[in-house]
Amino acid sequence: MNKNITFTVNGEPVSLTVEPRWTLLRVLRDKMFLTGSKEGCGEGECGSCTVLVDGKPVNSCLMLAVAADGKTITTIEGLSRGTELHPLQKAFIEKGAIQCGFCTPGMVMTAKSLLDKNPDASAEEIRQEMAGNLCRCTGYTKIVEAVQEVAGQLKGGCHENG
Amino acid sequence: MKMDRGQMALDQKQEIVGNSVPKIDASIKATGEALFAADIYLPGMLFGKILRSKHAHARILDIDTSKAEKLPGVKAVVTWRDAPDLKLGMYTDDWQFFAKEKVRYHGDIVAAVAATDIEIAEDALALIEVEYEELPGLFDPQDSLKLDAPLIHEDRPGNIAATRKIRKGDVEKAFASAEHIFEDTYQTQMVDHCPIETHASVAQCDSSGKTTIWSSSNAPFNNRFLLSRGLQLPMSKLKIVLNNVGGAFGGKQDLMTEPSCILLSKKSGRPVKIVVDREEEFTASTVRHPFTMTYKTAVDSKGKILARKIELIQDMGAYNDLGEGVLRYASLMAAGPYEIENVWLDAVGVYTNKQVGGVMRGVGVPQVSFAGESQLDRIAEKIGVDPYEIRMINALEEGSVTANGQKCVGIGFKETLKAAKKISGYEWKSKEKNRGFGIASMVYSSGAAGRHDYSSAVVKLNEDGTVVVLTGAPDVGQGVRTTLAQIAAQTLGVKYENCWVEAPNTDISPVDMYGANASRLTVVAGNAVMSAAMDAKRKILKRASEKWQVKEEDLQIVQGEIFHQGQSKSLGFFKDVVMEMHRPYGQTTIGTGDCITTSVPMDPETGQSEAVNIFVFATHVAEVEVDPETGLVKVLNIWAAHDVGKSINPVNIEGQIQGGVQMGLGFALTENIITRNGKTLNPTFLDCKMMTAADMPEIHPIIVEVPEPKGPFGARGVGEATCIPTAAAVANAVCSATGTRINSLPLSPEKVLSSLKMKSSGKKTN
Ligand code: FES
Ligand code: FES
């Protein structure tokens, strides 16, 4: 049975009819054309589909769309404000943490939730928390450096965005 | 004091090449705006799924698609009947887009469906009825080589797909008088490229017969060549467009989705998208060929290698595809980066009913590097020479002659050895129990080896003096568009920010033959772009010399301004001269350039030829700790020294090294596609595990720069070399930590534990 759901995506209220077997990722990509969230495995093993649901990182390929009813979702598209990028996005660019970029949206979302929770996360904590996000290109070094850089900024109190 | 702007430009004459400028496409990738093939949504677009074989080897008796066609929402079903009835391949015509009489592995495509929703397409697959007659399967090359083995391809006697030989000197004579002879057999496993983006394409065939394909390919011109042949379409009707590609590592030119997509679009009259899922990626995309390698090596008491006799058996899988090229590379590099007077090699690629091997980062060389470098360590240990020293003693250097009879020019191998040793603090004998260092080196080629390789480029100057570079070079994440923008900017004398490198579109871009392969783009596409930029620059300087009545050769362009030699005040802006070409002359300034390499095919009997375009060298040092209770190998550090010739973008190169080492470590420790009777048993990231952020050790990139005479600004390609020596370095470190040597990959805890047990019970472990 199809179901109507209402949720907030990147600050906008959205209502739509979904099939019970659709995942949140399927709805974000195929129905709302928010293609920043990627499908690397569809099985909860790569993290490229990571979005924030009520502030918590979720593999949107595993979450059924019906379960998103009433929730607040943030995707990569909701992170930058116009052309003003989030500090994490800036750090990823500056540190050379982006190669093919397919894992990047998921990485950035996981990193955001991590720093929201633990603003001065250590390199080791970053590595542990981000172990669910696979990257085949970078070897992770520069990704960890980018997240650390922002963690450093947060600690220094010069961070105000997102 | 007011500064003169022209003087400032000259003072700041910043070198763009050698600078870690941010990548051309980094910001759109950070925001999620970057479109990958699967992100394309077109009006009326259908979603496709592919039906693959149920058996490893079977005759197809009948394919009945009628039930699937009747399912509401299904708009087209295609089989071999919808495609021209012919076989094709890069080296051998042994493959058909859709299986007709036979399936030869589980990944063979039997049919494809397009429907209004992906779920309907999935349901429709289950309604296709295929009648098979199972045939005996061959899953081990040794079985395929038996005289009474069934044939996988009826026209390929002995199930032999390819062979390769090297004959240099007289190995038997050297063995007869040698002080020490070692003989060992090594094995490597099947692994997948595992790009995080799976293969995907969208095809749109319109009523004029024009077909446009948005693809995740890493070699669009290669693909166009095969699609044009296989679908009997003129190239003018086939446009392949690349946006962003989510990693390839050599694996995304295998036309996994494109033929199905095109035929479904043609049949339905609507655009069709196919995105393979992770399981399909693991089971049906190409893989790194498993190799069995026997090395017999003679040395004198000081460690000088006198002879190497090598036999390679490559598990080709069901089709040749690019396997013959992999065998060629493995053969060329099998003797290692050493000068050896006597080398004998016989290599054979053998069909099996398994996943098809393709090119994967390093193209057969990670396999032979594991064998050759493991054995060299064993030899060093036995004769009491430091493994570092044995490498220095035998290292190829200026003027050395390789196994294929090629003279080395402008190489920096010893520099990588020295740098890796010095910076890592490498020690031969471990001071701590269960801890140790391992060293391993490699030689590779930048630019396709043993084949003509070429690329062309166009540099187009816009009216405002900004620059567009057209190239067929695909950026799969390695950053080639950034590299090419740096080369164009530096050559022209304009700012990096003013250079745009357009992603390939086969209708617009000039041809680039092999795409993101063979660590070739920095050199081959880079030289083409450099020569196109020089061509455009000449045109501008000619106009400038007429305008200011000065000699062309006395002019230079710096940061977008034109200077007369010796004067600090600029004559004027580059952009103004570009504009003047437009008005009054009505000319767009276009520079064109090409690069063709000097690589020559290997002699079929002796393997001797100038096959290698540019030699590339690297040395890795690994430091590991082995847990004797669990057999778990923890890699603590990897130092990776690479001779890159000239580092065009140091941060990009560090990233390549760090990523390559991650792949090398997966190959060394965890990645292993397990098959039973040709069926893949572990097609998930959970069961075929790549290294995560938490698993990774510290990686220390060491950039060595010995200029390459044939590379742009002295650069050589580095992408693939980065993953090649890692596994041997780790294996050698494990041996140094525990005293046990394992001759097959991966070095799983089970294997390490059992070899530790064997050692303590006094049995030989090799
Ligand atoms: S796509 Fe969701 S975890 Fe991989
Ligand atoms: S940058 Fe390619 S997967 Fe992470």
Side-chain angles (χ1 to χ4, degrees):
Chain A
M1 261 287 285
N2 292 354
K3 198 177 169 228
N4 290 324
I5 59 167
T6 302
F7 56 167
T8 306
V9 179
N10 300 332
E12 302 276 336
V14 180
S15 294
L16 39 86
T17 308
V18 299
E19 284 187 21
R21 59 180 170 174
W22 287 356
T23 63
L24 176 59
L25 181 63
R26 166 97 155 90
V27 170
L28 291 172
R29 289 181 54 83
D30 289 354
K31 304 296 156 186
M32 299 178 66
F33 304 115
L34 291 170
T35 54
S37 306
K38 306 298 181 197
E39 179 168 328
C41 70
E43 296 167 332
E45 293 167 6
C46 76
S48 63
C49 62
T50 307
V51 300
L52 304 185
V53 178
D54 293 339
K56 297 208 175 60
V58 164
N59 286 329
S60 63
C61 72
L62 287 186
M63 182 174 180
L64 287 175
V66 290
D69 194 19
K71 304 266 198 263
T72 298
I73 317 280
T74 310
T75 71
I76 188 74
E77 288 88 350
L79 213 58
S80 44
R81 297 177 181 162
T83 54
E84 181 56 25
L85 304 189
H86 186 276
L88 274 165
Q89 292 171 315
K90 286 188 204 158
F92 269 62
I93 297 168
E94 280 156 19
K95 288 281 165 192
I98 301 173
Q99 286 192 30
C100 80
F102 200 81
C103 70
T104 310
M107 288 282 180
V108 170
M109 297 314 285
T110 302
K112 174 170 166 25
S113 83
L114 159 64
L115 294 186
D116 286 348
K117 199 167 67 189
N118 182 5
D120 57 357
S122 68
E124 194 42 41
E125 285 168 328
I126 294 167
R127 285 186 177 273
Q128 293 301 333
E129 286 281 328
M130 298 193 62
N133 289 71
L134 297 180
C135 174
R136 190 59 155 173
C137 302
T138 63
Y140 308 100
T141 310
K142 294 189 187 303
I143 292 175
V144 175
E145 281 169 13
V147 180
Q148 256 188 301
E149 164 103 351
V150 181
Q153 289 168 16
L154 291 178
K155 215 175 176 179
C158 58
H159 162 73
E160 75 305 315
N161 193 357
Chain B
M1 195 180 84
K2 197 162 164 275
M3 278 285 278
D4 180 350
R5 199 199 55 245
Q7 186 61 49
M8 271 167 65
L10 280 175
D11 288 348
Q12 296 168 359
K13 185 181 172 192
Q14 113 269 31
E15 299 292 327
I16 298 161
V17 161
N19 237 316
S20 295
V21 296
K23 281 192 175 168
I24 207 167
D25 49 5
S27 75
I28 59 164
K29 287 176 172 175
T31 57
E33 292 162 280
L35 290 179
F36 294 81
D39 298 334
I40 306 263
Y41 288 80
L42 297 174
M45 189 174 80
L46 303 173
F47 297 85
K49 279 301 267 186
I50 292 172
L51 181 71
R52 294 177 186 275
S53 172
K54 225 169 121 181
H55 302 288
H57 198 192
R59 212 173 294 289
I60 298 176
L61 303 178
D62 187 40
I63 307 172
D64 182 356
T65 58
S66 56
K67 286 196 188 119
E69 280 157 26
K70 287 192 198 102
L71 186 72
V74 170
K75 299 296 173 190
V77 183
V78 292
T79 64
W80 65 270
R81 293 184 192 93
D82 298 276
D85 188 7
L86 55 89
K87 289 183 178 175
L88 75 168
M90 277 308 287
Y91 291 99
T92 302
D93 291 342
D94 63 3
W95 177 60
Q96 202 153 349
F97 288 152
F98 289 84
K100 188 185 171 195
E101 294 107 1
K102 253 174 70 157
V103 285
R104 295 180 177 85
Y105 84 116
H106 278 275
D108 258 329
I109 299 180
V110 177
V113 175
T116 48
D117 258 327
I118 190 72
E119 290 85 359
I120 299 174
E122 274 162 10
D123 294 345
L125 287 193
L127 298 175
I128 298 173
E129 290 164 0
V130 188
E131 207 183 314
Y132 295 101
E133 177 197 323
E134 256 193 276
L135 298 168
L138 294 165
F139 308 112
D140 182 333
Q142 305 287 359
D143 292 334
S144 300
L145 288 171
K146 285 186 184 143
L147 285 175
D148 59 348
L151 290 183
I152 293 173
H153 298 268
E154 281 66 22
D155 56 347
R156 308 287 147 156
N159 289 313
I160 290 174
T163 58
R164 197 46 80 182
K165 288 181 197 167
I166 289 184
R167 301 287 184 265
K168 181 192 178 199
D170 185 344
V171 285
E172 297 308 333
K173 203 170 140 202
F175 286 131
S177 60
E179 284 167 88
H180 305 278
I181 296 174
F182 296 83
E183 186 166 346
D184 303 282
T185 299
Y186 300 88
Q187 268 177 330
T188 58
Q189 78 281 31
M190 184 189 285
V191 298
D192 189 63
H193 304 75
C194 284
I196 307 299
E197 176 206 36
T198 58
H199 285 66
S201 64
V202 175
Q204 183 171 37
C205 304
D206 67 22
S207 58
S208 75
K210 181 86 187 182
T211 295
T212 305
I213 308 129
W214 291 266
S215 163
S216 61
S217 171
N218 66 303
F221 283 94
N222 226 313
N223 288 164
R224 187 178 70 167
F225 169 73
L226 280 182
L227 286 171
S228 160
R229 264 188 74 202
L231 298 174
Q232 306 266 286
L233 282 171
M235 289 186 180
S236 60
K237 294 286 187 200
L238 262 175
K239 171 162 81 179
I240 303 179
V241 182
L242 258 61
N243 288 313
N244 298 284
V245 179
F249 317 108
K252 286 219 179 119
Q253 60 207 312
D254 48 4
L255 295 178
M256 213 182 162
T257 58
E258 289 82 354
S260 303
C261 232
I262 293 170
L263 293 174
L264 286 168
S265 174
K266 200 169 153 204
K267 201 161 182 175
S268 65
R270 290 166 65 166
V272 176
K273 165 152 62 182
I274 299 182
V275 183
V276 311
D277 61 31
R278 183 53 58 184
E279 181 177 339
E280 229 176 332
E281 186 77 27
F282 264 118
T283 56
S285 75
T286 55
V287 292
R288 193 187 287 293
H289 297 90
F291 268 65
T292 303
M293 302 159 281
T294 301
Y295 274 61
K296 187 175 171 188
T297 304
V299 295
D300 69 15
S301 57
K302 293 199 183 71
K304 176 75 195 148
I305 305 174
L306 307 170
R308 246 182 172 173
K309 183 174 182 180
I310 302 164
E311 286 176 280
L312 306 178
I313 299 176
Q314 173 196 30
D315 185 345
M316 199 61 103
Y319 299 97
N320 191 316
D321 188 52
L322 293 153
E324 201 167 326
V326 173
L327 195 67
R328 184 176 67 238
Y329 266 70
S331 301
L332 267 173
M333 311 300 171
Y338 308 110
E339 181 154 38
I340 308 173
E341 214 163 297
N342 305 293
V343 180
W344 182 102
L345 171 141
D346 259 10
V348 61
V350 185
Y351 288 119
T352 57
N353 294 112
K354 284 156 72 180
Q355 267 171 268
V356 181
V359 296
M360 178 170 169
R361 202 174 199 168
V363 193
V365 188
Q367 292 94 317
V368 293
S369 154
F370 170 66
E373 291 297 282
S374 291
Q375 195 195 41
L376 196 56
D377 250 49
R378 188 167 95 79
I379 295 169
E381 196 64 44
K382 273 269 173 354
I383 64 169
V385 175
D386 184 328
Y388 166 79
E389 290 301 335
I390 202 169
R391 288 175 170 81
M392 286 297 282
I393 292 168
N394 292 288
L396 289 169
E397 55 193 351
E398 200 62 23
S400 297
V401 177
T402 63
N404 60 308
Q406 192 169 344
K407 213 173 181 175
C408 295
V409 186
I411 66 164
F413 175 33
K414 281 190 170 173
E415 285 76 358
T416 71
L417 272 163
K418 288 181 205 156
K421 176 174 193 245
K422 185 163 168 237
I423 297 172
S424 66
Y426 162 88
E427 283 169 346
W428 175 20
K429 305 275 183 197
S430 173
K431 291 200 190 82
E432 277 179 75
K433 210 168 171 252
N434 299 320
R435 254 176 113 135
F437 284 102
I439 189 165
S441 302
M442 69 104 230
V443 54
Y444 195 64
S445 162
S446 173
R451 282 198 122 182
H452 290 304
D453 188 357
Y454 58 94
S455 194
S456 301
V458 169
V459 165
K460 201 165 70 132
L461 306 185
N462 297 323
E463 299 93 298
D464 62 355
T466 58
V467 179
V468 173
V469 177
L470 300 180
T471 165
D475 199 319
V476 294
Q478 85 284 43
V480 68
R481 284 167 74 192
T482 304
T483 304
L484 296 180
Q486 288 179 266
I487 290 174
Q490 181 80 48
T491 308
L492 282 165
V494 302
K495 292 188 175 148
Y496 166 71
E497 303 74 54
N498 289 341
C499 288
W500 175 252
V501 177
E502 182 64 6
N505 167 331
T506 55
D507 271 2
I508 294 167
S509 320
V511 174
D512 173 83
M513 196 51 219
Y514 300 122
N517 273 312
S519 294
R520 56 182 290 280
L521 289 175
T522 295
V523 167
V524 187
N527 275 334
V529 167
M530 195 167 161
S531 98
M534 284 187 322
D535 189 31
K537 186 177 179 177
R538 261 193 305 272
K539 291 179 181 170
I540 293 302
L541 290 184
K542 181 165 182 288
R543 171 76 201 113
S545 87
E546 287 161 10
K547 181 178 158 119
W548 288 302
Q549 293 296 305
V550 284
K551 281 211 221 112
E552 232 175 284
E553 53 273 28
D554 291 342
L555 292 173
Q556 57 168 329
I557 309 172
V558 179
Q559 294 222 58
E561 292 189 59
I562 300 178
F563 290 86
H564 190 241
Q565 209 179 36
Q567 290 182 8
S568 64
K569 191 168 160 25
S570 81
L571 296 169
F573 286 104
F574 171 81
K575 66 173 187 202
D576 293 335
V577 182
V578 175
M579 187 64 200
E580 280 175 33
M581 300 288 277
H582 281 272
R583 274 195 301 263
Y585 300 101
Q587 282 175 7
T588 301
T589 305
I590 291 178
T592 60
D594 319 287
C595 171
I596 178 144
T597 66
T598 51
S599 175
V600 180
M602 292 168 77
D603 181 272
E605 293 308 317
T606 67
Q608 303 296 298
S609 88
E610 302 274 310
V612 176
N613 180 45
I614 287 174
F615 285 106
V616 182
F617 295 92
T619 299
H620 287 190
V621 170
E623 187 185 19
V624 308
E625 186 170 38
V626 180
D627 182 340
E629 301 298 317
T630 62
L632 199 73
V633 177
K634 186 172 166 54
V635 180
L636 306 170
N637 287 287
I638 297 279
W639 291 268
H642 288 261
D643 177 15
V644 307
K646 165 78 189 172
S647 166
I648 290 181
N649 186 317
V651 165
N652 273 9
I653 289 186
E654 284 170 19
Q656 282 295 301
I657 293 175
Q658 288 154 343
V661 168
Q662 185 237 27
M663 200 172 265
L665 287 174
F667 186 51
L669 297 172
T670 59
E671 294 175 36
N672 186 9
I673 295 182
I674 299 164
T675 61
R676 185 179 303 140
N677 294 338
K679 194 167 172 60
T680 303
L681 301 180
N682 57 342
T684 65
F685 283 135
L686 211 59
D687 296 323
C688 188
K689 202 175 164 299
M690 71 163 82
M691 308 296 277
T692 71
D695 303 324
M696 284 297 287
E698 281 292 323
I699 303 168
H700 313 272
I702 302 168
I703 296 177
V704 174
E705 293 181 301
V706 175
E708 164 53 48
K710 287 194 255 176
F713 301 97
R716 40 171 75 83
V718 67
E720 291 171 272
T722 56
C723 78
I724 293 175
T726 321
V730 171
N732 291 343
V734 168
C735 186
S736 143
T738 64
T740 68
R741 182 167 291 284
I742 298 163
N743 285 359
S744 68
L745 293 178
L747 307 171
S748 62
E750 301 77 38
K751 264 191 228 168
V752 174
L753 210 52
S754 89
S755 86
L756 286 173
K757 278 197 190 126
M758 286 220 277
K759 187 188 159 217
S760 63
S761 68
K763 282 196 205 116
K764 194 171 174 285
T765 54
N766 280 327

